[in-house]
Amino acid sequence: MSDTPDSAVRTYTEQHRTAFLDDLAEWLRIPSVSAQPEHEGDVRRSAEWLSAKLKETGFPVTEVWETDGAPAVFAEWPSDDPSAPTVLVYGHHDVQPAAREDGWSTEPFEPVIRDGRMYGRGAADDKGQVFFHTLGVRAHLAATGRTAPAVHLKLIVEGEEESGSPHFRDLVERHADRLAADAVIVSDTGMWNETTPTVCTGMRGLAECEIEFHGPGQDIHSGSFGGAVPNPATEIARLVAALHDADGKVAVPGFYDGVAPLTDTERALYAELPFDEADWLHTARSRAASGEAGYSTLERIWARPTAEVNGIGGGYQGAGSKTIIPSSARAKISFRLVAGQDPDHIEKAVRAWAEARVPAGISHRITFLPATRPCLTPLDHPALRAVAGAMGRAFGQKVLFTREGGSGPAADLQDVLGAPVLFLGISVPSDGWHAPDEKVELDLLFKGVETAAHLWTDLAAALR
Amino acid sequence: MSDTPDSAVRTYTEQHRTAFLDDLAEWLRIPSVSAQPEHEGDVRRSAEWLSAKLKETGFPVTEVWETDGAPAVFAEWPSDDPSAPTVLVYGHHDVQPAAREDGWSTEPFEPVIRDGRMYGRGAADDKGQVFFHTLGVRAHLAATGRTAPAVHLKLIVEGEEESGSPHFRDLVERHADRLAADAVIVSDTGMWNETTPTVCTGMRGLAECEIEFHGPGQDIHSGSFGGAVPNPATEIARLVAALHDADGKVAVPGFYDGVAPLTDTERALYAELPFDEADWLHTARSRAASGEAGYSTLERIWARPTAEVNGIGGGYQGAGSKTIIPSSARAKISFRLVAGQDPDHIEKAVRAWAEARVPAGISHRITFLPATRPCLTPLDHPALRAVAGAMGRAFGQKVLFTREGGSGPAADLQDVLGAPVLFLGISVPSDGWHAPDEKVELDLLFKGVETAAHLWTDLAAALR
């Protein structure tokens, strides 16, 4: 070829644009809603459709993997260079529920293209973002003249992400050998906005607990006994109030042990993002920003661990009044964790902190749910530079960096496979994930194709 | 008569024992449950039965008074001494719901006498205690040889006490002229125990509120926003935690304004009561006593104002977890008030305290319910000495003093009529108010008759 690789990728992508969009639309017509039992067959059909499409794309190995829930799809395309590194791409083929009457302008499972966007459930989350890898790898081969990718390429596309990935960790553990990789590319996130390409460098972890306080053996009369015995509702409130110090830091001793500090480089990069606090508050449906002293809003949600009360309850909550001292009260508290924090250590620290605060006359029970680890790839990691570089080539502009405040199954991949996790997402906040009129911007979708096409060459070099 | 007045009263009481118990049993057979609409007719029948019985007793005036709810009974028996003071007796003729299947050994509305006790719904609360006044006034006349009581005697017996007396204050205000009295005797409480006669000197008042905090416009994702916006569940917990100081005092500025201090005399009298903290904790179904530093358990529940959380709630309270920042949270808080505290002042103080603590980004709503005032009769009040004296004559032993931690409509009588309220109750904690197998101890019931018989002579002298 006489083209530069970049223009060759663009040309190939443009030539296959129509067929690619037709294929994506066909996939979006399968209502693979994992949360709704009536769509169980559709989720399976979606897995089979994807498996066949990956075979057609050229993956020599494509398999539908069973779980105790919905099936996942695995595909593998070994490099023609035996010494090439191995890269695993993660995505999911299930989607959120959707119905026209929820407020969709058109049928959610009848995709349409309007104003340079494809509308349909799963267009952005996550079928569109899985699917750009199919044309991406073909463009990669076409532009480089290779017959196989520059990396050993693997895909794992699960079918239960929208239901909380209940069987994903088990799946990864059972197939750890076949999933083994030098890096994981997660394509299930987004970028800052339509004009600001960004790479996400990590997600927070999650430790969740419920703390119950039990006082009197039953609700007792607040006139007869009020002021003379411990009140579990008051005591649980005191515990919750002690959760943060005056600076908004989590006051649990040991909570910050090991926390990877936010580097000046990263703070400077975050500060380059076109962040508008008023817009952000509008999205958060909140009237004020608050939190840990010394950190910006983005730093607070991305790079700092937090404790939030998800629910609190005890005693009478109906209309009017009931003059009781409640028998019990409870709080559900979740901790978002950042790199360097260990969920087991957090559980121990929270238990010790809470138990030291249980007053005489109150018994307690603390229950932790299975935790999700944080994941973070350092800014100077060669694989991360490769992802940002490939994205920069596709977009033709500087790529900035973000993190995600939420938590996800990506951490299981990092954890079980011991590989760095990198996020390549081209969705934007206006795409309407989980909402009516979900869409994907076609220009960005094809930037995703181009990024994927460049990525295998760049990653092969970076990881060598 | 050649008998002493005390033995004359006893003789008269014993002579009329059987007829009195037959009459009480007849009244207890009327299921006057004010809370259950299907018993509306029974509550009216109960009022009419009592009115007729009071007429038969000798009251020249007996009337059924209508309210916007269940009817009350009023009766009046002027003294033969025109300069005699006026005394109003308060009780109620409605009862708590009761069904055999709740755990009753016999039918709740088929009273039976067993082991010196009469079992049946209302035996102690409050029909038995209203009814001892009928034989009491007859014994008073028989022992003194009078044709009318030594005081102008009035009775008001309401029909909605077990439903929270929603129309009682209105009734008292409408009939304030006819209810006017120099002292009010409330027979709807109890004494310390079977062997310790006591007189209650007051009840606490009650101010109740609900404080709501509103944060985000809807529940928002605790991963995407956690740590960067105010959480109303955390904030309501902080407010509740700020309600008390480290000494267990209510930390609302101005809360203790005007509080009548507990006198050394009263503390000494309370200390004479055979109080067993382990027994009390058993009754309270609690494992530890706690509260305001510097006060005993009895002092805390009787003589000190308190703040109790009756309910707290916000966010997700179901099984498992939901990673949200809740949109709102609320606490129901009730304040028990003692003599000298003004509910309107308390409401203002609580509002000012709470409003000063609402953080940026949280909006609030504070709702107060109608309050009940505290009431207290000083230990040296002549009418109180008369009640204790009459009870001492009936029981033949020293009478001690208590208070009630709860709140009741007695305060409305004190408030509207401007008369001291005195409590003459012969029920004991084992009587099972509101519980299955409610009963009254017959020995104590007749001590009540004798006390009432002595009381009018003693009160006439005391109030002159």
Side-chain angles (χ1 to χ4, degrees):
Chain A
M1 307 209 178
S2 60
D3 278 349
T4 64
D6 288 15
S7 68
V9 161
R10 188 148 305 155
T11 303
Y12 186 90
T13 300
E14 281 167 6
Q15 284 167 348
H16 294 80
R17 184 180 174 104
T18 307
F20 172 81
L21 292 177
D22 287 348
D23 284 348
L24 176 57
E26 188 174 303
W27 195 18
L28 294 184
R29 280 188 201 100
I30 303 173
S32 50
V33 181
S34 59
Q36 296 175 328
E38 64 268 33
H39 288 296
E40 195 182 325
D42 294 318
V43 179
R44 179 165 299 279
R45 200 150 57 85
S46 162
E48 283 161 1
W49 184 95
L50 177 63
S51 177
K53 186 58 61 180
L54 291 169
K55 176 74 77 183
E56 191 185 313
T57 298
F59 282 84
V61 176
T62 67
E63 296 173 15
V64 172
W65 282 358
E66 298 302 328
T67 72
D68 285 345
V73 175
F74 174 76
E76 189 170 4
W77 196 338
S79 177
D80 47 13
D81 173 1
S83 67
T86 302
V87 176
L88 173 67
V89 172
Y90 165 88
H92 61 90
H93 68 90
D94 63 321
V95 298
Q96 280 278 313
R100 180 74 185 266
E101 56 268 28
D102 296 341
W104 285 76
S105 306
T106 54
E107 288 296 332
F109 297 107
E110 279 302 332
V112 293
I113 292 176
R114 224 172 36 236
D115 304 328
R117 297 163 182 144
M118 183 179 284
Y119 288 86
R121 176 57 87 219
D125 175 22
D126 185 37
K127 286 175 174 171
Q129 301 206 76
V130 168
F131 207 58
F132 73 60
H133 285 285
T134 60
L135 184 54
V137 68
R138 297 284 343 160
H140 165 68
L141 300 182
T144 57
R146 308 182 75 112
T147 55
V151 296
H152 296 303
L153 187 59
K154 298 178 178 177
L155 258 74
I156 180 74
V157 184
E158 72 157 316
E160 296 188 306
E161 199 275 345
E162 300 296 359
S163 300
S165 302
H167 305 101
F168 185 64
R169 184 163 180 120
D170 173 65
L171 184 79
V172 174
E173 285 174 346
R174 280 192 291 121
H175 295 287
D177 284 355
R178 299 201 58 197
L179 294 171
D182 299 297
V184 176
I185 300 286
V186 168
S187 283
D188 185 27
T189 56
M191 46 184 249
W192 182 261
N193 65 19
E194 287 78 351
T195 55
T196 315
T198 53
V199 172
C200 171
T201 65
M203 300 181 84
R204 293 196 287 191
L206 180 61
E208 297 170 278
C209 69
E210 175 163 320
I211 303 178
E212 295 169 68
F213 275 7
H214 293 267
Q218 61 186 31
D219 293 348
I220 59 173
H221 194 285
S222 71
S224 304
F225 302 107
V229 295
N231 179 327
T234 307
E235 297 299 342
I236 204 84
R238 288 174 181 169
L239 187 78
V240 166
L243 194 54
H244 296 86
D245 68 14
D247 286 332
K249 284 202 153 33
V250 178
V252 174
F255 182 75
Y256 291 93
D257 288 356
V259 163
L262 188 58
T263 63
D264 289 344
T265 308
E266 204 169 5
R267 299 187 90 159
L269 281 166
Y270 292 168
E272 280 189 59
L273 290 163
F275 176 72
D276 182 297
E277 189 144 285
D279 282 355
W280 182 84
L281 282 173
H282 183 77
T283 307
R285 301 204 56 179
S286 293
R287 281 159 293 188
S290 69
E292 189 181 359
Y295 293 92
S296 71
T297 291
L298 289 182
E299 290 167 358
R300 285 168 177 164
I301 56 175
W302 289 348
R304 295 299 296 170
T306 57
E308 288 290 348
V309 178
N310 308 122
I312 189 168
Y316 182 66
Q317 297 183 46
S321 73
K322 193 173 177 190
T323 47
I324 55 166
I325 297 174
S327 173
S328 66
R330 60 211 62 75
K332 290 178 190 284
I333 302 174
S334 63
F335 301 89
R336 296 284 168 173
L337 310 179
V338 299
Q341 283 182 302
D342 170 43
D344 293 338
H345 176 72
I346 295 297
E347 175 172 342
K348 281 194 193 78
V350 170
R351 284 185 184 277
W353 165 82
E355 282 163 5
R357 268 162 190 75
V358 181
I362 297 284
S363 65
H364 69 284
R365 190 166 71 166
I366 304 176
T367 316
F368 271 81
L369 295 175
T372 303
R373 289 180 180 274
C375 60
L376 180 71
T377 304
L379 281 177
D380 57 1
H381 194 287
L384 182 60
R385 308 305 315 178
V387 171
M391 200 170 188
R393 288 168 70 186
F395 281 80
Q397 66 182 105
K398 181 177 177 181
V399 172
L400 291 172
F401 294 90
T402 65
R403 295 197 202 177
E404 284 276 330
S407 311
D412 287 326
L413 291 165
Q414 172 194 262
D415 206 30
V416 178
L417 306 179
V421 170
L422 307 148
F423 297 85
L424 168 56
I426 51 80
S427 181
V428 285
S430 63
D431 282 352
W433 290 31
H434 301 198
D437 285 349
E438 179 180 347
K439 53 87 178 166
V440 66
E441 300 281 331
L442 297 185
D443 280 357
L444 299 182
L445 189 60
F446 288 102
K447 297 291 186 211
V449 170
E450 291 182 39
T451 303
H454 299 310
L455 187 56
W456 312 135
T457 314
D458 295 359
L459 260 184
L463 292 171
R464 198 165 290 270
Chain B
M1 307 211 174
S2 59
D3 278 349
T4 64
D6 288 15
S7 69
V9 162
R10 189 148 304 156
T11 303
Y12 186 89
T13 300
E14 280 167 4
Q15 283 167 348
H16 294 81
R17 184 181 174 101
T18 307
F20 172 81
L21 292 177
D22 286 349
D23 284 347
L24 176 56
E26 188 174 302
W27 194 18
L28 294 183
R29 279 187 202 101
I30 304 173
S32 50
V33 181
S34 60
Q36 296 175 330
E38 65 268 32
H39 287 297
E40 194 183 325
D42 295 318
V43 179
R44 179 163 299 277
R45 200 149 59 85
S46 163
E48 283 161 1
W49 185 95
L50 176 62
S51 177
K53 187 57 63 181
L54 291 169
K55 177 73 78 181
E56 190 185 313
T57 299
F59 282 84
V61 176
T62 65
E63 297 172 14
V64 172
W65 282 358
E66 298 302 327
T67 73
D68 284 345
V73 175
F74 174 76
E76 188 170 5
W77 196 338
S79 176
D80 48 14
D81 173 0
S83 67
T86 303
V87 176
L88 174 67
V89 172
Y90 166 87
H92 62 89
H93 68 91
D94 64 320
V95 298
Q96 280 278 314
R100 180 73 186 266
E101 56 268 29
D102 295 341
W104 285 76
S105 306
T106 53
E107 288 296 333
F109 297 106
E110 280 300 333
V112 294
I113 292 175
R114 219 166 49 232
D115 304 328
R117 296 163 183 144
M118 182 180 284
Y119 288 86
R121 176 57 87 220
D125 176 22
D126 184 41
K127 285 174 174 171
Q129 301 206 77
V130 167
F131 208 59
F132 73 60
H133 285 286
T134 61
L135 185 55
V137 68
R138 297 281 347 154
H140 165 67
L141 299 182
T144 58
R146 308 182 74 113
T147 56
V151 295
H152 295 305
L153 187 60
K154 298 177 178 178
L155 257 76
I156 180 73
V157 184
E158 71 157 316
E160 296 187 307
E161 199 274 345
E162 300 296 1
S163 299
S165 303
H167 305 101
F168 186 64
R169 183 162 181 123
D170 173 65
L171 185 80
V172 174
E173 285 175 346
R174 280 193 290 122
H175 295 286
D177 284 356
R178 300 199 61 195
L179 294 171
D182 299 297
V184 176
I185 300 287
V186 169
S187 283
D188 185 28
T189 57
M191 47 183 249
W192 182 261
N193 65 19
E194 286 77 350
T195 55
T196 314
T198 52
V199 172
C200 170
T201 65
M203 301 181 86
R204 292 196 288 190
L206 180 61
E208 296 171 276
C209 69
E210 175 164 320
I211 303 178
E212 294 169 68
F213 274 7
H214 292 268
Q218 62 187 28
D219 293 349
I220 58 174
H221 194 285
S222 72
S224 304
F225 303 106
V229 294
N231 179 326
T234 307
E235 296 301 340
I236 204 83
R238 288 175 181 168
L239 186 78
V240 166
L243 195 54
H244 297 86
D245 69 15
D247 286 333
K249 283 200 155 33
V250 178
V252 174
F255 182 76
Y256 291 94
D257 288 354
V259 163
L262 189 58
T263 64
D264 288 346
T265 308
E266 203 170 7
R267 300 188 88 159
L269 280 166
Y270 292 168
E272 280 188 57
L273 290 164
F275 176 73
D276 182 297
E277 189 145 284
D279 282 354
W280 182 85
L281 282 173
H282 183 77
T283 307
R285 301 203 55 180
S286 293
R287 282 159 292 188
S290 69
E292 189 181 358
Y295 293 92
S296 72
T297 291
L298 289 181
E299 291 166 357
R300 286 168 176 164
I301 55 175
W302 288 348
R304 295 299 296 170
T306 56
E308 288 290 349
V309 178
N310 308 121
I312 189 168
Y316 183 67
Q317 297 184 45
S321 73
K322 192 173 179 190
T323 47
I324 54 165
I325 297 174
S327 172
S328 66
R330 60 210 61 77
K332 289 178 191 282
I333 303 174
S334 62
F335 301 89
R336 296 285 168 174
L337 310 179
V338 300
Q341 283 181 303
D342 170 45
D344 293 337
H345 176 74
I346 295 298
E347 176 173 341
K348 281 194 194 78
V350 170
R351 284 184 184 277
W353 166 82
E355 282 164 6
R357 268 163 191 74
V358 181
I362 296 285
S363 65
H364 68 284
R365 189 165 72 167
I366 305 176
T367 316
F368 270 82
L369 295 176
T372 303
R373 290 179 177 277
C375 59
L376 180 70
T377 303
L379 280 177
D380 57 2
H381 194 287
L384 183 62
R385 308 304 315 177
V387 173
M391 200 169 186
R393 287 167 70 186
F395 281 81
Q397 67 183 104
K398 180 178 177 180
V399 172
L400 291 172
F401 294 90
T402 64
R403 295 198 203 178
E404 283 277 329
S407 312
D412 287 326
L413 292 165
Q414 172 194 262
D415 207 28
V416 178
L417 306 179
V421 171
L422 308 148
F423 297 84
L424 168 56
I426 51 79
S427 181
V428 286
S430 65
D431 282 352
W433 290 30
H434 301 198
D437 284 350
E438 179 180 346
K439 53 86 179 167
V440 65
E441 301 279 332
L442 297 185
D443 281 356
L444 299 182
L445 188 60
F446 288 103
K447 297 291 186 211
V449 170
E450 291 183 39
T451 303
H454 299 311
L455 186 57
W456 312 135
T457 313
D458 295 358
L459 260 185
L463 292 172
R464 198 165 291 270

